Amino acid sequence: MANQSLLPAGDFRTSYAADTTIFPTVTSRNAAILGIVLVAIAPWLISDYWVAILIQIGMFGIAALGLNILVGFTGQISIGHAAFFLFGAFTSAYLSSKLSVPAFFAIPLSGAVTALVGLVFGLPAARLKGLYLAIATLAAQYILLDFFSRAEWFTGGSVPAMAEPFSIFGYVVNGDRQYFYVVLAYVIASFILVTNLMRTRDGRALVAVRDHYLSAEIMGINLTKYRTLSFGLAAFFAGVGGALYAHYQLVVSNEGFGIDRSILFLAMVIIGGTGSIMGTLMGTAFVVILPESMQWLSAVLKGSSIDQALQLNNNLTFLREIAVGLIIILFLIFEPDGLAHRWRQIKAYWKLYPFSH
């Protein structure tokens, strides 16, 4: 009987390291490795169209990860994230085409430069909250967009900026399938970096600022420092994602990166789950694939009575925007914790099956 009382039961952890481990079980670690392997071989099993979709998910997922640090982990708000994404794209294009910096080095350098810009805008925003902070980040969006339109030496003005193809030690990456592995490497590195950041003292301080800033300040946490730091980190990952975008498209312009793109980045975080690293990628995939599913739906319903009533093919762009807005509202009402929470519930159900309730 004495030996039986010493048997571990339930959630049994004996150290802080065990409590903060990335993979709580061997099965979860093996599942993550298997998932990476399957994604790595996917480009050779799917069409070029879906390879391009996966590349988009990777690039936007890195940027959304930075926004989740700001929104999900620190409790701040930003509706100007697309401007930092675009700044990273222009910076990498400038470094590679004007200064002849190889893209392999230009991408992290662009992230660092964008982080500095994010810190500049983060300083005044660190003393604001709520509606005032949202307006401040919106101002940052318009300030940067105005800068892009005027700084022809940096952006090319009315002529799109040119970016060099991705190269590493003289080897030039050609085609979507090769570039997919470049994006995949940056995605894995970024998500590992943020996962480990959240396990450090600084990561826990960011979460404390989100949970209750007054209690965090009483504990000795410098609110201004960590709020500003969160803006810098968010801008860094936005810059890296933008730089990958620049070397994928090879041309960069202001088109398509207004306030609507910033709202889409925010939607990725909300749908995936604020404060969830895995949920960020899930939300990004959802938002990227949603417009494509709308196009598939319009093709299926073409010529039907529904198509004639709603004119799906003529109003496809507007219907995409309506669908994204409607999805955000539905998630806020019925699943405020996002897809990550739903995924955890599914895992818990099958883990306890048939005794789950």
Side-chain angles (χ1 to χ4, degrees), residues 69-133:
I69 295 176
L70 180 66
V71 177
F73 289 104
T74 316
Q76 303 290 85
I77 185 67
S78 175
I79 49 177
H81 201 62
F84 296 107
F85 184 92
L86 189 57
F87 189 92
F90 278 127
T91 302
S92 197
Y94 182 84
L95 290 174
S96 63
S97 61
K98 299 292 180 64
L99 302 182
S100 300
V101 177
F104 179 76
F105 300 103
I107 291 173
L109 283 174
S110 299
V113 173
T114 309
L116 293 176
V117 176
L119 290 173
V120 171
F121 286 103
L123 282 172
R127 298 185 178 275
L128 302 172
K129 59 182 180 178
L131 179 61
Y132 299 100
L133 179 58

Side-chain angles (χ1 to χ4, degrees), residues 9-348:
D11 192 2
F12 186 71
R13 300 176 186 179
T14 58
S15 66
Y16 183 76
D19 190 54
T20 58
T21 183
I22 297 177
F23 301 109
T25 63
V26 176
T27 303
S28 62
R29 182 197 64 192
N30 294 338
I33 295 173
L34 178 61
I36 293 174
V37 171
L38 292 176
V39 171
I41 64 176
W44 306 103
L45 304 175
I46 58 179
S47 64
D48 293 343
Y49 171 80
W50 284 107
V51 173
I53 294 295
L54 290 177
I55 291 175
Q56 289 184 53
I57 293 172
M59 295 184 299
F60 293 145
I62 293 174
L65 180 64
L67 184 60
N68 210 350
I69 295 176
L70 180 66
V71 177
F73 289 104
T74 316
Q76 303 290 85
I77 185 67
S78 175
I79 49 177
H81 201 62
F84 296 107
F85 184 92
L86 189 57
F87 189 92
F90 278 127
T91 302
S92 197
Y94 182 84
L95 290 174
S96 63
S97 61
K98 299 292 180 64
L99 302 182
S100 300
V101 177
F104 179 76
F105 300 103
I107 291 173
L109 283 174
S110 299
V113 173
T114 309
L116 293 176
V117 176
L119 290 173
V120 171
F121 286 103
L123 282 172
R127 298 185 178 275
L128 302 172
K129 59 182 180 178
L131 179 61
Y132 299 100
L133 179 58
I135 294 174
T137 58
L138 181 62
Q141 167 96 19
Y142 285 107
I143 289 171
L144 288 176
L145 289 179
D146 184 68
F147 169 75
F148 296 148
S149 63
R150 296 177 184 275
E152 296 187 6
W153 59 271
F154 182 62
T155 64
S158 58
V159 180
M162 305 298 295
E164 296 296 320
F166 184 89
S167 62
I168 176 172
F169 304 117
Y171 177 77
V172 179
V173 173
N174 295 311
D176 284 8
R177 281 186 167 80
Q178 291 187 14
Y179 196 75
F180 167 83
Y181 293 104
V182 175
V183 175
L184 179 62
Y186 276 97
V187 168
I188 294 173
S190 298
F191 277 74
I192 290 176
L193 182 62
V194 173
T195 301
N196 282 284
L197 171 65
M198 291 303 119
R199 300 166 66 205
T200 64
R201 181 183 183 278
D202 290 330
R204 295 193 298 272
L206 293 174
V207 176
V209 172
R210 177 200 67 188
D211 290 342
H212 203 292
Y213 69 93
L214 289 178
S215 299
E217 190 172 24
I218 292 172
M219 293 169 59
I221 295 175
N222 190 325
L223 298 184
T224 301
K225 171 188 173 181
Y226 283 103
R227 283 174 176 170
T228 306
L229 177 64
S230 65
F231 272 93
L233 290 171
F236 172 79
F237 287 103
V240 171
L244 289 169
Y245 175 85
H247 295 290
Y248 176 62
Q249 297 289 345
L250 301 181
V251 292
V252 185
S253 67
N254 293 352
E255 298 296 328
F257 288 94
I259 184 64
D260 54 336
R261 179 68 65 174
S262 293
I263 297 299
L264 283 179
F265 279 126
L266 199 56
M268 294 172 188
V269 174
I270 293 172
I271 293 173
T274 55
S276 172
I277 295 174
M278 178 190 66
T280 303
L281 203 56
M282 297 170 67
T284 304
F286 188 95
V287 172
V288 171
I289 294 175
L290 180 62
E292 307 304 322
S293 62
M294 290 293 296
Q295 188 168 358
W296 172 82
L297 181 63
S298 65
V300 170
L301 298 177
K302 187 176 181 180
S304 65
S305 58
I306 298 177
D307 182 26
Q308 295 175 1
L310 299 178
Q311 296 183 347
L312 293 177
N313 290 278
N314 295 332
N315 299 315
L316 186 59
T317 302
F318 300 104
L319 289 173
R320 288 176 178 177
E321 296 176 357
I322 293 172
V324 172
L326 182 60
I327 289 295
I328 293 175
I329 294 172
L330 292 176
F331 266 91
L332 288 174
I333 296 173
F334 298 106
E335 196 61 82
D337 293 327
L339 293 172
H341 174 68
R342 180 57 54 184
W343 173 244
R344 287 192 294 267
Q345 286 186 321
I346 293 173
K347 288 197 301 181

